[in-house]
Amino acid sequence: NDSPVWTVHDTGSCMIPNSTQEMSWIIGDHGFEMSLSRQVPQLIEEHLSPWMSSWLDHQGQTVSSIGNWAVHPGGPRILDAVETSLGLPPGACTESRTVLRERGNMSSPTVLFVLDRLRSQPVASPTVMLGFGPGLTAEVALLSGPHRTNEGEKSIGENADS
């Protein structure tokens, strides 16, 4: 397999306070039904930065040391809230915005399309992959790469038969 792969160094989760009713998934007779409050961007803007800064500190990183941001493009207001909360430089979420514009919000897998766009170009490491889910929760992974694996070496993103 000659495709570049990402290496996951750590992951983290944060439950945003007083937000359990702001985003939910209900399994109904016809599949999943999602409920999303208009308060979600404001909650992200208010609560993401302190947690993310602390989590990154435990990884020996800071917001400014992150080379790339692969943010789940749940919508333009979500991306704006992330950029504002973290004080990201202009263009930090360009790939997320491009995926949102070209493909829309495809639910959970959408962030993988952002990683794929980053994988196809020269990128600075490390990369933070960030998404939001029911509860309201923030989910994060610290990645390095993408890089090519050595002959016989396996890394996340490859299956054992390749």
Side-chain angles (χ1 to χ4, degrees):
N1 184 357
D2 200 30
S3 296
V5 296
W6 297 94
T7 300
V8 178
H9 294 282
D10 204 355
T11 61
S13 299
C14 170
M15 177 84 152
I16 293 177
N18 303 312
S19 67
T20 55
Q21 300 301 314
E22 305 306 323
M23 180 190 286
S24 64
W25 285 92
I26 299 168
I27 301 173
D29 292 338
H30 303 287
F32 290 102
E33 299 171 18
M34 182 183 181
S35 169
L36 184 63
S37 160
R38 292 178 183 220
Q39 299 304 310
V40 169
Q42 179 182 341
L43 288 165
I44 291 170
E45 191 170 324
E46 290 174 9
H47 297 281
L48 181 62
S49 182
W51 173 74
M52 180 65 75
S53 294
S54 174
W55 186 82
L56 285 171
D57 185 56
H58 284 95
Q59 314 308 316
Q61 302 290 333
T62 64
V63 168
S64 62
S65 72
I66 300 303
N68 297 287
W69 292 88
V71 180
H72 178 318
R77 291 184 58 218
I78 300 289
L79 295 173
D80 292 345
V82 169
E83 290 172 336
T84 300
S85 181
L86 299 178
L88 298 180
C93 292
T94 296
E95 298 306 327
S96 296
R97 291 182 188 281
T98 299
V99 168
L100 181 61
R101 184 179 62 252
E102 291 178 355
R103 297 183 175 264
N105 180 355
M106 301 170 282
S107 194
S108 301
T110 311
V111 73
L112 300 176
F113 286 79
V114 177
L115 284 177
D116 191 50
R117 287 187 63 84
L118 288 170
R119 184 173 70 156
S120 67
Q121 57 192 328
V123 295
S125 251
T127 294
V128 164
M129 180 172 63
L130 174 65
F132 301 93
L136 175 70
T137 57
E139 302 288 338
V140 65
L142 182 65
L143 312 173
S144 64
H147 59 270
R148 301 201 185 285
T149 57
N150 295 325
E151 184 75 27
E153 175 186 351
K154 297 295 177 197
S155 185
I156 293 175
E158 291 185 303
N159 90 31
D161 298 328
S162 60

